[in-house]
Amino acid sequence: MRKLNLLKMIFLIILSGCGEENFKKFSKLGELRVVGIVSDIPEVDGTNTGNVNVTLTPYISDIEAAGRTFSVTVVTCLDTGVTRGGSPECLSPTTQTYPNGNTFNTTGLAANNYTGAMDPITITINNPSSLISAFSAQQRFNGVNFLVAFRFQSGSTIVNAIKAIPISERTTLNSNPVIGGVTYNGAAITSGLSSGGALDMTFTSGAQSYEVMRADGSIITKQESLLISWFVSKGKIQPPRMIDSQNTTFFPENTSAVTLIGVARDRRGGTAVRILNP
């Protein structure tokens, strides 16, 4: 019981800190940031009675520290709060083992300005069908979130992030968007950038249609819209967040080296990350 209470406490701490980016300048890179977490399976088949292995890769930027080792705590659970339409809730959290003794050393990302993909972690979701069996037919169809919470710590620096993986009984499951490229003033980014240019992201596989069950059991079809977030080490991006059909502008500080990150989310768990160092 003591161990379970401790895990609940860890999970609550992580959940409470997940809004940290709201009080930072959203697009500015410098301090330790988690810009996105990509799951190779963004939506799990809720009719599966076996075990499903899901690999998650956090993408970070830690430019100001210029190389350090931080501890990584990973806690998972089924979100039972959905039964009451409330905030995420975890009744039976489980700690996961992150690679390399639950640590990550950012010096391996030095060549890319201490920005890039961390070591992936693979978790096993045991018998997804049984996990969601107690929920209503509507909830099972639309998806019950399996939560994966990350806590990154180095000294007094603590950053929390959470990834929700829906377990659903939809016939067609979600997939990650696939970024085709990033352009600046209509051309591929290959070298230093001039001032005031249009920044755009293209996709080889973008927004999808998906089904939703209403309370009366009827099925309707909806269409995703991709949310694109931009992060940069130097200069300004306006606006830093946009819907896929909108435009954004990048104002470089100068033509020296810059780290630029574009993150696309379908807001159903699908995520793609592109990192550039022109």
Side-chain angles (χ1 to χ4, degrees):
M1 180 64 69
R2 183 176 299 173
K3 181 178 180 182
L4 180 59
N5 288 338
L6 177 60
L7 291 180
K8 285 184 179 179
M9 185 178 299
I10 292 173
F11 201 89
L12 287 172
I13 290 172
I14 292 176
L15 286 178
S16 66
C18 288
E20 181 180 13
E21 66 181 28
N22 292 333
F23 59 81
K24 292 181 177 180
K25 186 174 182 181
F26 178 78
S27 63
K28 183 65 175 177
L29 296 175
E31 300 177 6
L32 177 62
R33 298 286 301 276
V34 181
V35 298
I37 301 172
V38 176
S39 171
D40 67 337
I41 303 177
E43 185 173 15
V44 171
D45 180 3
T47 67
N48 192 331
T49 58
N51 295 334
V52 178
N53 293 325
V54 180
T55 299
L56 300 100
T57 305
Y59 284 79
I60 65 165
S61 182
D62 195 23
I63 296 172
E64 290 182 0
R68 60 176 163 177
T69 297
F70 51 81
S71 63
V72 185
T73 302
V74 184
V75 183
T76 61
C77 81
L78 192 70
D79 177 11
T80 54
V82 71
T83 59
R84 290 177 294 280
S87 301
E89 184 176 295
C90 187
L91 294 181
S92 301
T94 302
T95 55
Q96 304 287 338
T97 301
Y98 187 77
N100 302 314
N102 296 309
T103 63
F104 182 77
N105 190 337
T106 62
T107 57
L109 302 176
N112 294 313
N113 205 12
Y114 304 97
T115 299
M118 290 177 56
D119 297 324
I121 177 174
T122 298
I123 62 171
T124 300
I125 301 178
N126 300 308
N127 196 343
S129 177
S130 177
L131 277 179
I132 66 172
S133 61
F135 293 85
S136 70
Q138 181 187 20
Q139 290 167 334
R140 294 196 310 271
F141 187 89
N142 293 336
V144 178
N145 285 335
F146 188 85
L147 303 175
V148 185
F150 291 81
R151 183 176 178 85
F152 309 92
Q153 182 168 5
S154 176
S156 61
T157 299
I158 298 174
V159 172
N160 301 312
I162 192 165
K163 179 71 173 179
I165 304 170
I167 301 174
S168 84
E169 295 180 350
R170 288 189 179 95
T171 303
T172 302
L173 300 175
N174 192 22
S175 59
N176 289 316
V178 179
I179 299 173
V182 175
T183 61
Y184 180 67
N185 286 332
I189 299 175
T190 57
S191 59
L193 307 177
S194 59
S195 60
L199 195 60
D200 193 22
M201 182 180 289
T202 60
F203 298 90
T204 59
S205 178
Q208 302 169 264
S209 60
Y210 62 101
E211 294 180 327
V212 174
M213 180 181 287
R214 291 174 167 171
D216 63 3
S218 62
I219 306 294
I220 61 173
T221 299
K222 291 190 174 184
Q223 181 68 30
E224 294 175 342
S225 59
L226 297 180
L227 176 66
I228 300 173
S229 303
W230 296 101
F231 305 88
V232 66
S233 60
K234 296 179 182 178
K236 296 179 180 179
I237 295 180
Q238 296 178 343
R241 272 185 162 179
M242 52 177 283
I243 305 301
D244 50 9
S245 60
Q246 297 176 326
N247 298 316
T248 192
T249 304
F250 178 40
F251 300 93
E253 187 175 288
N254 49 52
T255 57
S256 62
V258 63
T259 296
L260 176 67
I261 305 175
V263 181
R265 295 181 174 87
D266 61 22
R267 290 178 281 189
R268 296 200 298 130
T271 304
V273 179
R274 180 63 60 92
I275 299 174
L276 299 167
N277 291 283

